[in-house]
Amino acid sequence: MKLKAISVRNFRLLKDVKLSLESDSTIVVGRNNSGKTSLTEFLRVLLGSKGDFRFEDFSLSCLDGFIEAHSLFLEGNELGDIRAALPQISATLTISYEEDEELGALGDFVIDLDPNCNEAQVNILFSLKAGKIEELFAESPMEVDADHQSVIASIKEKVPTLYDLVIEAQDPSDESNKKNISFSGLESIIRLDFIDAQRVLDSGEKPILGKVLEELFQSANRHEIGSERKNLADVLCQATKNVEDDINFQFNGNLSALAPIFDKFNYPGLVDPHLQTETRLDVNKLLSNHTTVSYKGYNGINLPESFNGLGSRNLLFMLLKLYEFYQALSVMQPQPCVHLIVIEEPEAHLHPQMQSVFIRQLIEIRKAFDDDNLCESQYLVTTHSSHLANEGGFSSIRYFLTKGQSQNACSRHTEVKNLKELYQGASLSEPDKKKNKEFLHKYLTQTKSDLFFADQAILIEGTTERLILPEMIRKVDENSNGVYALGRSYVTTMEVGGAYAQIFFPLLHFLELPTLIITDIDATNKPEGSTRRKKCRVSESDGTSNSCIKAWFDSNVTPSQLIALDAEYKVHNKLRIAYQIPNATGDASARSFEDAFILTNSTLFSGMPDVGEENRELKAWDIAQEQDKTDFAIKYSVEITDWETPLYIREGLEWLARDFCTPPHPLSESPVQETDTESGVTETNVADVEIH
């Protein structure tokens, strides 16, 4: 049996989402405050706190529903209409099973009569109790146009007592066929375990791993009498008992002498009390509070747990926790139908290579710990690590995307995208789909791209643009007088060249990621008598060799046509292409970034200010041919920074900043229900990525 999907409605950022799960590992990625934490918190509250939801757990968009229900109540509308307007937190769990599989506890949730249906559906509703509408609004303001804050404040106090959790078995083929189930019934089919993101690994001498050993001992103690693990637990208990007996025998008399001699005081009732001391040792406390994991040192000197690196301790902690989960699962009777292990941010303190190995080995870990008699565990991993995300592959990735206006917190909500669907229905042949998918996966894996976590992306041609781009972004922000804040956004910069950028179009559209594609016009012509096209100056060209430009416009487009196009043709949804154009009407146009930079900043290059307008293109071309690209980039990104950004790049950066990057606002103006922030600019390079 497997947990096939989770649908959640009206919980924090999860206004209405459906998350499909892989049978092995599902990796949840996304930008900051995109709903990843909302998902894990929903599972934690549902199964860890028995559905003890709070008013604050409702999505902010639900506030309007409470206000509407209050107005309907005051207007004397039907109770059914009022209840329909009241928000509720709800979820649906879909569990799949094999046709010949023993259902066990899941049998109570299978209520359909369709022999071809191999799914059970569980509905979870946190809603107002029956007959409680009047009580909910009893102390609310009695005016229809009352202050909304007062209405919400009065309702907020009532939700914990007037709302409750309802569990239903749902017929997947008939919405009207439902059956109420107790919460214990839900607990009997699903086991949820967490490895939290906040792992206190750097707390000095605190024996963190010793606490894990305590949990392992407790699970071993619950095994059947005579089993190997029960015998090991008994040995530990006996060792503790031996220590207790020795302490009581050797030291009891001396310790008793430390007690007051009450009969000397002649106090009533304390004549000859014959006090004795007795020492008790709790094996659990010995493990959690007085047992540390040490590491083998030198010449018999062992090093304490805290002396090892945080990365190694984190990995060991996670492995011990996983082992603890499986041992606890092994003594559960009856066995749950589904075992979901949620691992939050396993990348903490781990080297990138170790991150990649960890995600690859999760299934091997399951095989090592699992028993044939146990339900097969599933992993749900949330991460900010490109190494983990890219290693998992497209099929396992679920991308959390924040939708709605950033200025209006009530409109913000999460949309979940399944990367399995990326090429479904794409206008490509199956071989091309496969080839492009393989290229993207190889590229993202080799370059550790941050596409899944960035707020915006910039695709560039090569090293020169990559090194100079941060200075260009700074200039655009600076010249906007505070209007633009691109430099404070989380922008990922990828070096993909003009031959590969178009392969990213489907992925970028799918992720709805605002992206600027900076490429070269790559002018070409076919000299008389030649069978091949060759690169040339723009004024001499009748075509382009740039695959990205051809894919965006047309394979027969010419540089003169490209230069004449209005900006609207360079934008498609959230993607914009930028290629060389003249800095002014009638000026020369460049073929590549270097000669565009030279034309824009003529005074920085010897000989350029002296040439006439008709020779500027040729002179810039000649100077550009003499430049070493890396030296050129370093010189004008580090040594000399007093220059102007070429027009085509400046227009592109201004578009990205103006349409998708607003300056930060005070927190009071933009409340959110999930905080998980980080910022920066990341860079990746395409290095010898081939399509096979």
Side-chain angles (χ1 to χ4, degrees):
M1 298 180 193
K2 296 291 182 181
L3 182 59
K4 183 178 180 181
I6 304 171
S7 298
V8 184
R9 291 165 292 278
N10 293 334
F11 182 83
R12 302 190 188 178
L13 286 179
L14 309 182
K15 183 178 180 180
D16 188 1
V17 303
K18 181 175 182 180
L19 175 74
S20 61
L21 279 78
E22 296 297 303
S23 59
D24 295 323
S25 301
T26 304
I27 301 176
V28 174
V29 301
R31 309 170 201 172
N32 296 306
N33 291 322
S34 61
K36 301 187 296 297
T37 301
S38 293
L39 171 66
T40 57
E41 284 303 303
F42 172 80
L43 293 172
R44 195 189 305 272
V45 175
L46 174 63
L47 294 167
S49 301
K50 298 183 181 297
D52 188 19
F53 295 103
R54 302 176 301 164
F55 180 83
E56 291 82 0
D57 289 326
F58 282 92
S59 299
L60 292 178
S61 59
C62 291
L63 299 182
D64 291 339
F66 285 110
I67 298 298
E68 180 186 355
H70 176 257
S71 297
L72 292 175
F73 174 77
L74 295 181
E75 293 168 357
N77 283 268
E78 295 290 333
L79 294 181
D81 294 335
I82 300 172
R83 179 171 290 275
L86 278 171
Q88 61 181 12
I89 295 174
S90 63
T92 300
L93 309 180
T94 303
I95 300 173
S96 63
Y97 55 89
E98 300 296 329
E99 185 175 352
D100 56 349
E101 192 170 3
E102 182 67 34
L103 294 179
L106 188 64
D108 290 339
F109 291 85
V110 179
I111 60 174
D112 66 274
L113 300 177
D114 185 356
N116 297 318
C117 179
N118 294 324
E119 291 183 356
Q121 199 165 299
V122 183
N123 294 340
I124 294 104
L125 305 171
F126 182 69
S127 56
L128 185 67
K129 298 175 184 177
K132 297 296 182 179
I133 290 179
E134 291 189 4
E135 188 175 346
L136 179 67
F137 297 119
E139 298 175 7
S140 301
M142 290 296 105
E143 301 84 22
V144 175
D145 57 349
D147 177 62
H148 289 178
Q149 289 187 350
S150 300
V151 175
I152 293 299
S154 65
I155 294 174
K156 176 182 176 180
E157 301 300 322
K158 303 288 188 64
V159 165
T161 56
L162 299 184
Y163 269 63
D164 67 352
L165 195 71
V166 176
I167 310 296
E168 296 176 338
Q170 167 76 59
D171 184 344
S173 57
D174 183 359
E175 291 188 1
S176 63
N177 185 15
K178 301 176 183 179
K179 181 178 76 171
N180 281 3
I181 304 287
S182 66
F183 187 82
S184 61
L186 177 65
E187 290 181 309
S188 69
I189 63 171
I190 297 180
R191 166 79 179 188
L192 180 69
D193 284 311
F194 270 93
I195 298 181
D196 296 322
Q198 302 300 321
R199 297 184 282 280
V200 188
L201 300 167
D202 54 353
S203 54
E205 297 298 322
K206 188 177 180 180
I208 302 301
L209 299 181
K211 292 188 177 296
V212 181
L213 294 178
E214 176 189 337
E215 296 296 330
L216 289 173
F217 170 78
Q218 291 177 346
S219 65
N221 213 26
R222 292 193 293 269
H223 274 259
E224 294 180 1
I225 296 176
S227 66
E228 181 180 358
R229 295 197 58 76
K230 176 62 175 174
N231 290 339
L232 288 173
D234 291 342
V235 169
L236 278 176
C237 289
Q238 185 58 50
T240 306
K241 182 67 169 59
N242 293 340
V243 174
E244 287 180 1
D245 292 343
D246 191 49
I247 290 176
N248 288 323
F249 178 76
Q250 297 291 339
F251 298 108
N252 186 55
N254 293 325
L255 289 174
S256 297
L258 297 176
I261 305 174
F262 293 107
D263 58 348
K264 296 293 184 182
F265 293 93
N266 198 28
Y267 192 81
L270 290 178
V271 178
D272 194 21
H274 296 293
L275 296 178
Q276 297 288 323
T277 62
E278 184 174 337
T279 301
R280 295 273 183 176
L281 298 180
D282 185 341
V283 66
N284 291 327
K285 298 305 179 184
L286 283 175
L287 287 170
S288 62
N289 295 336
H290 305 288
T291 302
T292 60
V293 176
S294 61
Y295 302 92
K296 188 174 182 179
Y298 181 71
N299 278 349
I301 303 299
N302 293 333
L303 301 177
E305 173 186 322
S306 60
F307 274 40
N308 209 357
L310 289 175
S312 298
R313 294 169 67 189
N314 182 35
L315 185 59
L316 180 58
F317 176 86
M318 289 190 291
L319 290 174
L320 284 173
K321 289 296 290 183
L322 290 173
Y323 187 61
E324 171 196 325
F325 296 156
Y326 289 123
Q327 289 304 319
L329 182 68
S330 66
V331 296
M332 290 186 67
Q333 293 297 331
Q335 275 286 298
C337 305
V338 171
H339 183 211
L340 182 64
I341 299 176
V342 179
I343 307 177
E344 293 185 289
E345 301 177 22
E347 66 269 18
H349 308 299
L350 293 184
H351 182 277
Q353 185 177 3
M354 194 179 290
Q355 295 175 29
S356 300
V357 171
F358 177 79
I359 201 68
R360 286 200 305 266
Q361 293 299 316
L362 268 182
I363 304 306
E364 295 302 318
I365 293 171
R366 185 180 70 182
K367 291 178 181 177
F369 290 161
D370 261 353
D371 185 278
D372 291 339
N373 298 321
L374 304 181
C375 64
E376 200 171 58
S377 305
Q378 294 171 264
Y379 297 106
L380 180 64
V381 181
T382 67
T383 183
H384 290 104
S385 167
S386 59
H387 305 280
L388 288 172
N390 298 326
E391 192 63 46
F394 282 171
S395 62
S396 65
I397 293 177
R398 304 296 181 266
Y399 179 70
F400 276 45
L401 174 66
T402 305
K403 305 295 285 287
Q405 299 177 357
S406 59
Q407 296 87 352
N408 182 3
C410 290
S411 71
R412 294 178 68 246
H413 62 278
T414 296
E415 182 177 321
V416 178
K417 289 178 172 283
N418 184 345
L419 263 71
K420 269 187 174 180
E421 303 170 358
L422 176 58
Y423 287 104
Q424 293 179 1
S427 57
L428 293 172
S429 65
E430 288 303 321
D432 285 339
K433 288 181 184 179
K434 182 179 179 181
K435 182 175 69 173
N436 288 359
K437 186 176 180 180
E438 289 176 353
F439 169 83
L440 281 175
H441 184 257
K442 183 178 291 187
Y443 174 86
L444 295 175
T445 301
Q446 289 188 4
T447 63
K448 308 306 178 189
S449 168
D450 274 353
L451 274 183
F452 299 127
F453 310 99
D455 295 320
Q456 297 95 21
I458 301 177
L459 274 55
I460 56 176
E461 282 272 347
T463 303
T464 309
E465 294 94 325
R466 177 170 58 86
L467 293 177
I468 296 182
L469 189 62
E471 183 64 21
M472 292 180 174
I473 291 174
R474 187 190 67 79
K475 289 179 182 294
V476 166
D477 285 349
E478 190 176 77
N479 294 335
S480 72
N481 294 321
V483 175
Y484 301 149
L486 192 57
R488 285 175 283 175
S489 298
Y490 189 0
V491 181
T492 184
T493 303
M494 302 192 305
E495 184 180 329
V496 299
Y500 299 109
Q502 69 278 6
I503 300 177
F504 287 82
F505 290 172
L507 175 60
L508 295 169
H509 282 303
F510 187 81
L511 299 180
E512 300 183 39
L513 181 64
T515 303
L516 173 64
I517 301 140
I518 302 175
T519 192
D520 290 337
I521 203 167
D522 289 335
T524 64
N525 64 14
K526 189 175 181 181
E528 186 176 351
S530 175
T531 58
R532 300 181 61 184
R533 300 189 66 84
K534 296 183 179 181
K535 69 176 185 178
C536 65
R537 301 194 302 273
V538 172
S539 62
E540 301 172 334
S541 67
D542 60 4
T544 175
S545 61
N546 189 292
S547 301
C548 174
I549 289 177
K550 290 180 179 180
W552 187 283
F553 297 104
D554 181 84
S555 59
N556 297 318
V557 70
T558 65
S560 60
Q561 292 173 326
L562 292 170
I563 291 172
L565 284 175
D566 292 333
E568 62 183 289
Y569 296 103
K570 301 176 185 179
V571 179
H572 185 225
N573 293 332
K574 294 185 177 182
L575 272 60
R576 189 192 193 280
I577 193 170
Y579 49 79
Q580 289 81 13
I581 58 174
N583 289 303
T585 303
D587 192 10
S589 186
R591 184 185 192 275
S592 66
F593 170 77
E594 287 78 12
D595 42 341
F597 188 90
I598 294 167
L599 286 169
T600 306
N601 300 279
S602 298
T603 58
L604 299 178
F605 298 91
S606 178
M608 277 299 296
D610 302 328
V611 300
E613 292 294 326
E614 69 279 4
N615 293 320
R616 277 172 51 78
E617 181 191 29
L618 177 58
K619 185 63 176 178
W621 167 279
D622 290 339
I623 294 175
Q625 304 309 306
E626 299 170 356
Q627 304 298 317
D628 177 274
K629 289 182 177 291
T630 302
D631 291 344
F632 185 92
I634 293 175
K635 180 177 181 179
Y636 293 104
S637 62
V638 179
E639 298 178 14
I640 302 174
T641 57
D642 187 12
W643 41 259
E644 296 293 327
T645 302
L647 179 62
Y648 74 103
I649 296 180
R650 177 162 55 84
E651 287 183 346
L653 293 175
E654 288 175 348
W655 167 83
L656 192 63
R658 179 183 61 251
D659 291 3
F660 302 103
C661 177
T662 56
H665 296 285
L667 292 178
S668 60
E669 296 180 13
S670 181
V672 294
Q673 290 180 292
E674 175 171 310
T675 57
D676 189 1
T677 58
E678 58 183 67
S679 63
V681 176
T682 63
E683 296 178 351
T684 58
N685 298 305
V686 60
D688 302 324
V689 180
E690 299 178 356
I691 303 176
H692 298 289

